[in-house]
Amino acid sequence: TQAVCAVGMFELQIHYFENPLGLLQNGDCCDLQAGGGQRCSARDQCDTFFKACLKEYQARVVPSGPCTFGLGSTGILGGNSQSLRHRGHDGGGRGEDGAIGHIVIPFKYAWPKSFSLVLEALDYDNDTSESGEDGQLIERVLLSSMLNSGVQWQTYRHHGRPLTLDYRLRFRCDSNYYGPFCNKLCRARDDFVGHFICDPNGSKVCMEGWTGPECKEAVCRQGCHQTHGNCTAPGECECHYGWKGPLCDQCVTFPGCVYGSCGEPWQCVCDVNWGGLLCD
Ligand SMILES: [Ca+2]
Ligand SMILES: [Ca+2]
């Protein structure tokens, strides 16, 4: 079995981008220049894709350097401009992937809330002769921000030259992880270790019939005597030695006691007009 170490995932969705002139950051055309020389070709537009580099919070984001928290990229999302629709506004099932402008970066540590992000729009080129780089830079977004964990998206807009961009971010805890930092583990179970589910804060909530801090103490039948009865499964009432009855609140008389009763186990207190050891 694989060790489960991830506590959550950082998610980025590209919503919309617009690069009306089809330019790179350096002012050149992504691809072909149109015949006249002034404009970039409308036919061979930019082949725009995005790369995200997530790192620890930096007051001034350094665009180079390692992506300490992880990295990811989208596929080619279209030409110069594109508006993307994402299935399910807030649901966001796990089926979504980079193909539609969705980047998921699994996160293995407690989510620190503050982070820095280097998000680059790049133009993909078919001819690999260019260089070792995987694309030419169209726009670079440098963001330092705070993000609370949850299913809610936080929306951002970048107004750049040449590209304007709408995107949104969220950080979601993996299943079994809870809390603002996604580092509180709670795994629902129903066995001898405990009988509980987890609430939205990751606290144990005992299943019906179970109690105690670990939810492994059974709740006995209602009315079951606190000291003379006991149970190992919910709703039961098992009597201690010398006690009987559905609620274990009746004492057992001395063996052979005929016309007598008890206040304590093993007594034989004779009824009126009866006598003897066995009241017979
Ligand atoms: Ca192109
Ligand atoms: Ca291209």
Side-chain angles (χ1 to χ4, degrees):
T1 53
Q2 275 191 315
V4 180
C5 49
V7 296
M9 58 184 91
F10 181 88
E11 289 178 278
L12 180 152
Q13 273 185 354
I14 304 294
H15 244 194
Y16 168 79
F17 60 90
E18 188 175 23
N19 178 6
L21 302 177
L23 292 171
L24 296 169
Q25 184 79 95
N26 63 12
D28 291 348
C29 294
C30 282
D31 292 318
L32 290 176
Q33 192 114 2
Q38 297 280 358
R39 292 156 169 265
C40 305
S41 166
R43 289 196 170 182
D44 190 359
Q45 298 194 353
C46 301
D47 309 285
T48 311
F49 71 102
F50 291 85
K51 249 173 73 177
C53 170
L54 187 65
K55 48 172 87 183
E56 77 283 0
Y57 180 85
Q58 297 171 332
R60 251 185 112 103
V61 187
V62 181
S64 57
C67 307
T68 44
F69 291 172
L71 69 167
S73 56
T74 68
I76 296 167
L77 297 179
N80 294 342
S81 305
Q82 187 76 39
S83 188
L84 295 145
R85 275 199 210 113
H86 294 280
R87 269 173 299 158
H89 224 65
D90 283 312
R94 272 148 203 255
E96 293 173 291
D97 56 23
I100 52 162
H102 192 127
I103 296 175
V104 177
I105 299 175
F107 204 80
K108 296 183 178 72
Y109 314 99
W111 175 239
K113 287 192 182 182
S114 54
F115 64 95
S116 290
L117 175 72
V118 181
L119 178 61
E120 290 177 330
L122 300 157
D123 170 50
Y124 176 80
D125 284 324
N126 260 340
D127 51 359
T128 48
S129 61
E130 278 285 332
S131 66
E133 302 242 337
D134 43 9
Q136 292 182 277
L137 185 65
I138 297 171
E139 185 77 44
R140 179 179 285 136
V141 181
L142 302 177
L143 174 74
S144 282
S145 189
M146 283 259 299
L147 196 58
N148 288 313
S149 66
V151 295
Q152 293 283 34
W153 292 95
Q154 202 162 314
T155 305
Y156 296 84
R157 160 162 278 221
H158 171 82
H159 246 302
R161 192 183 62 93
L163 181 128
T164 294
L165 172 67
D166 281 352
Y167 62 102
R168 55 186 198 167
L169 306 174
R170 71 177 174 184
F171 190 90
R172 261 198 310 164
C173 300
D174 276 350
S175 47
N176 302 329
Y177 287 91
Y178 299 86
F181 312 104
C182 295
N183 60 348
K184 188 173 180 186
L185 178 66
C186 180
R187 190 175 283 127
R189 62 191 312 154
D190 187 14
D191 57 25
F192 68 96
V193 176
H195 306 264
F196 57 86
I197 57 169
C198 304
D199 75 6
N201 300 316
S203 301
K204 292 168 183 165
V205 178
C206 294
M207 291 174 169
E208 203 182 326
W210 298 94
T211 185
E214 298 297 319
C215 304
K216 57 183 182 186
E217 298 162 30
V219 176
C220 300
R221 180 180 304 151
Q222 197 177 2
C224 184
H225 198 280
Q226 286 201 340
T227 50
H228 305 148
N230 195 6
C231 64
T232 51
E236 289 183 352
C237 189
E238 294 157 18
C239 300
H240 293 168
Y241 191 60
W243 295 91
K244 62 176 184 173
L247 301 177
C248 303
D249 53 358
Q250 301 162 22
C251 52
V252 177
T253 52
F254 189 78
C257 182
V258 184
Y259 297 106
S261 61
C262 60
E264 295 288 324
W266 316 125
Q267 287 179 339
C268 188
V269 180
C270 297
D271 298 341
V272 181
N273 297 328
W274 291 94
L277 197 61
L278 300 175
C279 305
D280 53 354

